[in-house]
Amino acid sequence: MKTHQLPNQPVKLNAVKQGFVSVRTNSRRFINRPIIHNRSLLLVGSLLLLSGALAVQAQTTYIKANNTTALPTSGSWTVAGFPGSGDIGKWDPTVTAANVVQLGAAMSLGEIQIVNPGGAVTIWDPTTANALTLNGVNGVGIDMSAATVNLTIQTNVLTLGGNQTWKIASGRSVTHTGANGIAFGANVLTITGGGTFNANERNNPEIGRAS
């Protein structure tokens, strides 16, 4: 594993490189292409008056139950059902030990929130079709701003479903070790909080060089 010491400004990961990269960051941006073209959007005043303020995305927070039942399963959570593309999956003291849990199927999740479960959290699945997609609830894909443990995602594919921020507290880490890396699409990933983001560069055309 190599550690890249980055300048105090946003960086982009956009080139192929073999190995493993560890990024310690206060505020960094990761994208899959060297240039993002910003386009101005003209909004008509009358439409704004009709629509009012932009609505905050509604979501439901699901608390992880103290088990290793596959995540997209009702029994994996303390209430019926499981979190969907606009919901939050939260790990708190309900989970009393390290939690290694499989997807078992493709899952689209709004946000992962890690607070203070009894041990580190690992989400895994060896099947490429069982991809994990993080959409970002109100712009946040992973919230570890108050985490006391680390998060590891071991899925072959981790997809960003929209622009999002991962909040990783100082001393905490998020690690992705999937063989196919992170699928950014045209989305931008911003990491804040002073924690560490570990990414597998091998066989990953969309993430690699810190620049």
Side-chain angles (χ1 to χ4, degrees):
M1 184 178 75
K2 292 181 292 184
T3 299
H4 294 257
Q5 298 295 335
L6 302 176
N8 188 23
Q9 61 185 26
V11 298
K12 303 170 184 177
L13 299 183
N14 62 349
V16 181
K17 190 175 181 181
Q18 297 295 314
F20 200 82
V21 59
S22 176
V23 176
R24 293 187 180 91
T25 174
N26 287 318
S27 181
R28 303 285 184 258
R29 296 195 314 142
F30 303 92
I31 63 175
N32 72 328
R33 52 184 179 175
I35 299 175
I36 291 291
H37 297 284
N38 294 319
R39 297 180 179 179
S40 298
L41 180 63
L42 180 62
L43 299 176
V44 180
S46 60
L47 292 178
L48 287 175
L49 290 174
L50 288 173
S51 63
L54 293 175
V56 175
Q57 180 182 357
Q59 73 275 328
T60 300
T61 298
Y62 289 76
I63 305 298
K64 182 68 183 75
N66 190 31
N67 60 38
T68 57
T69 302
L71 291 180
T73 306
S74 182
S76 187
W77 306 89
T78 58
V79 296
F82 56 87
S85 60
D87 299 319
I88 299 171
K90 181 177 180 179
W91 277 255
D92 68 7
T94 304
V95 176
T96 60
N99 193 222
V100 180
V101 60
Q102 188 173 4
L103 285 180
M107 186 177 191
S108 182
L109 186 61
E111 176 188 312
I112 293 173
Q113 186 178 80
I114 309 294
V115 187
N116 54 346
V121 175
T122 300
I123 299 171
W124 71 281
D125 200 294
T127 305
T128 299
N130 295 348
L132 175 63
T133 299
L134 292 177
N135 295 300
V137 171
N138 301 320
V140 179
I142 295 177
D143 185 356
M144 292 178 55
S145 56
T148 59
V149 300
N150 297 327
L151 170 65
T152 299
I153 300 175
Q154 296 175 339
T155 57
N156 278 348
V157 179
L158 174 61
T159 301
L160 301 187
N163 296 336
Q164 59 193 264
T165 296
W166 292 1
K167 300 178 180 180
I168 309 172
S170 178
R172 300 273 63 88
S173 67
V174 172
T175 299
H176 182 256
T177 60
N180 296 318
I182 298 176
F184 285 84
N187 300 308
V188 176
L189 171 60
T190 301
I191 298 182
T192 64
T196 301
F197 170 47
N198 302 310
N200 190 348
E201 295 173 301
R202 187 170 288 110
N203 299 324
N204 188 342
E206 294 180 319
I207 189 169
R209 181 176 56 86
S211 62

